[in-house]
Amino acid sequence: MELRTMRYFLAVAREENMTRAAELLHVTQPTLSKSLKSLEDELGKKLFVRHSFHIELTEEGILLRKRAKDLISMADKIQAEFLSLNDISGGEIYFGLAESYQIRYLAAEIKSFKKSYPDLRYHITSGDTEQVTEKLHKGVIDFAVLAEEPNTDKYQFLTFPKADIWGVVMPEDCPLAEKTAISADDLCGLPLFCSEQGWHRDIPRWCGNKMDTLHLEGSFRLSYNGSLFVKEGLGYLLTFEHLIDTGPNSGLKFRPLTPRLETKLYLIWKKYQVFTPIAEKMLERLRERFL
């Protein structure tokens, strides 16, 4: 199974059309068709359903697409790392980030770092703990940022300078907006939106034995999506402060939880991880700023 064939497969899966994919890859359509047929024979599975004007992935094809993306990302990262071994003026760094206002500290350090290393090229992917740690384990990213305490058996870490504050995003004209802070009793029986991670890890340590009185209407990995449901009057969003625009003309208000609930943010990397020179320099800079 060759990397070139995986790139061919991904192009066809993306374009859903053999002719367009062949044009983008600068190969002939017969060459592309032959490569994909050989891949199906090698795997012993049908990867595509061929229709008159487009191509559709089978279930096996969908699975391979996910694996192929990881494989190509890893191959590209390895190539970039070796190209940058002797290039201390720049190189590639890959981050997987949780959704948090405290990411501003990382952004500020990257901006400052680029002044010293102008050829730095950084890549950002976002997700919850499960998503970013999976990429970290596979070696697709160098660093992950988590909104939960890391497993010290697996990772080394730095703690961000400040923590995120939890609160409720609500319509500006609802009765709760008149309060200065929101308690668990205030939310009893109301339709609530929250990330699954926050609902299972953070909210229980805030409300304790009142968790059973709270109703999760729906979960969102991105707070912005949840805020759109709040605007439609479908419920109330439990999230970090500053993630949602609640300023004038937004139609929304943010009120902190009481008692105060905070979540710390952590930059993590695998134990015994070997970094490229530029990633090592970046870590040195972050250690100086965060410790």
Side-chain angles (χ1 to χ4, degrees):
M1 191 180 303
E2 298 180 356
L3 285 174
R4 180 180 60 183
T5 305
M6 289 294 99
R7 294 185 192 275
Y8 286 178
F9 167 78
L10 287 174
V12 175
R14 181 180 63 251
E15 297 300 321
E16 297 182 343
N17 182 281
M18 194 73 71
T19 302
R20 285 200 303 270
E23 291 174 352
L24 289 171
L25 293 166
H26 303 292
V27 299
T28 64
Q29 186 170 330
T31 297
L32 184 56
S33 297
K34 183 179 178 181
S35 295
L36 295 180
K37 182 62 171 62
S38 296
L39 179 60
E40 289 182 320
D41 292 342
E42 182 179 355
L43 295 175
K45 297 292 183 182
K46 192 173 181 64
L47 301 175
F48 299 98
V49 177
R50 292 159 175 81
H51 301 286
S52 299
F53 298 103
H54 74 284
I55 292 175
E56 181 182 359
L57 289 176
T58 62
E59 289 186 6
E60 292 81 4
I62 292 172
L63 174 61
L64 180 61
R65 179 175 60 186
K66 183 178 187 302
R67 298 290 182 260
K69 285 181 178 179
D70 290 339
L71 184 64
I72 295 300
S73 295
M74 173 59 74
D76 290 343
K77 184 173 184 291
I78 291 172
Q79 184 179 36
E81 286 176 347
F82 274 83
L83 288 173
S84 66
L85 283 176
N86 297 319
D87 181 17
I88 200 59
S89 67
E92 312 275 343
I93 305 180
Y94 295 78
F95 296 92
L97 307 181
E99 189 182 27
S100 167
Y101 181 60
Q102 308 315 321
I103 294 297
R104 61 197 169 116
Y105 289 104
L106 178 62
E109 293 305 328
I110 290 175
K111 179 182 178 181
S112 174
F113 192 70
K114 276 184 68 67
K115 293 178 181 179
S116 301
Y117 302 94
D119 294 331
L120 167 69
R121 295 174 297 279
Y122 58 93
H123 307 268
I124 304 295
T125 183
S126 298
D128 58 18
T129 295
E130 180 182 0
Q131 291 171 318
V132 297
T133 54
E134 180 183 6
K135 291 182 182 296
L136 188 65
H137 293 161
K138 290 179 178 178
V140 176
I141 60 177
D142 301 300
F143 302 99
V145 175
L146 307 183
E148 64 177 71
E149 194 167 329
N151 182 341
T152 54
D153 292 333
K154 295 181 179 180
Y155 311 115
Q156 297 186 67
F157 68 92
L158 295 172
T159 305
F160 275 63
K162 290 188 178 181
D164 280 297
I165 299 171
W166 280 88
V168 183
V169 173
M170 63 194 73
E172 64 180 358
D173 58 355
C174 76
L176 285 185
E178 301 300 321
K179 292 178 170 285
T180 57
I182 306 300
S183 68
D185 289 336
D186 293 326
L187 300 177
C188 178
L190 296 179
L192 304 176
F193 303 117
C194 188
S195 68
E196 287 189 10
Q197 182 174 324
W199 185 258
H200 293 294
R201 290 181 178 271
D202 297 281
I203 301 305
R205 64 185 174 89
W206 167 66
C207 65
N209 59 12
K210 294 183 179 180
M211 191 70 189
D212 290 341
T213 69
L214 302 184
H215 169 62
L216 183 65
E217 180 76 5
S219 59
F220 294 89
R221 283 185 169 173
L222 296 176
S223 291
Y224 176 75
N225 288 345
S227 72
L228 299 179
F229 280 63
V230 175
K231 283 188 175 182
E232 293 298 326
L234 292 170
Y236 301 80
L237 177 64
L238 292 161
T239 189
F240 295 154
E241 189 176 15
H242 300 302
L243 290 186
I244 302 300
D245 176 17
T246 57
N249 303 318
S250 68
L252 300 173
K253 290 292 183 183
F254 176 91
R255 294 291 181 262
L257 297 179
T258 183
R260 186 182 178 94
L261 176 64
E262 295 184 347
T263 294
K264 292 182 179 179
L265 208 65
Y266 303 89
L267 177 84
I268 71 167
W269 61 96
K270 291 187 295 185
K271 280 191 171 181
Y272 315 114
Q273 183 165 335
V274 178
F275 290 112
T276 60
I278 194 68
E280 188 68 51
K281 289 288 185 182
M282 182 81 230
L283 182 57
E284 289 177 13
R285 173 71 65 92
L286 292 173
R287 279 195 172 112
E288 291 173 2
R289 300 297 192 271
F290 285 12
L291 289 180

